Amino acid sequence: MYSIPELVSEVSKYWRLTAGDLIYTGTPKGSGPIEIGQSFEGGVNGAGKFSGKVFGR
């Protein structure tokens, strides 16, 4: 397990992070695989809801 500062530092080596970026570290218990073409929805307390569609791996 990484601390939040360690995680942000590691991710920042590969991508430029800006205010409002989200870092996904896993899936909730009970989640299953998502396939190309499927849509998804989620949310973060205090940050709002989001949705998207999987186009490739």
Side-chain angles (χ1 to χ4, degrees), residues 27-54:
T27 57
K29 185 177 181 178
S31 295
I34 188 167
E35 302 295 332
I36 294 171
Q38 283 184 301
S39 297
F40 60 90
E41 295 180 345
V44 177
N45 291 341
K49 296 181 180 182
F50 56 90
S51 62
K53 186 171 184 174
V54 178

Side-chain angles (χ1 to χ4, degrees), residues 6-55:
E6 289 171 325
L7 181 61
V8 170
S9 175
E10 188 65 25
V11 171
S12 295
K13 293 177 184 176
Y14 305 99
W15 295 280
R16 181 174 179 250
L17 298 175
T18 59
D21 286 349
L22 300 174
I23 300 173
Y24 300 101
T25 58
T27 57
K29 185 177 181 178
S31 295
I34 188 167
E35 302 295 332
I36 294 171
Q38 283 184 301
S39 297
F40 60 90
E41 295 180 345
V44 177
N45 291 341
K49 296 181 180 182
F50 56 90
S51 62
K53 186 171 184 174
V54 178
F55 288 97

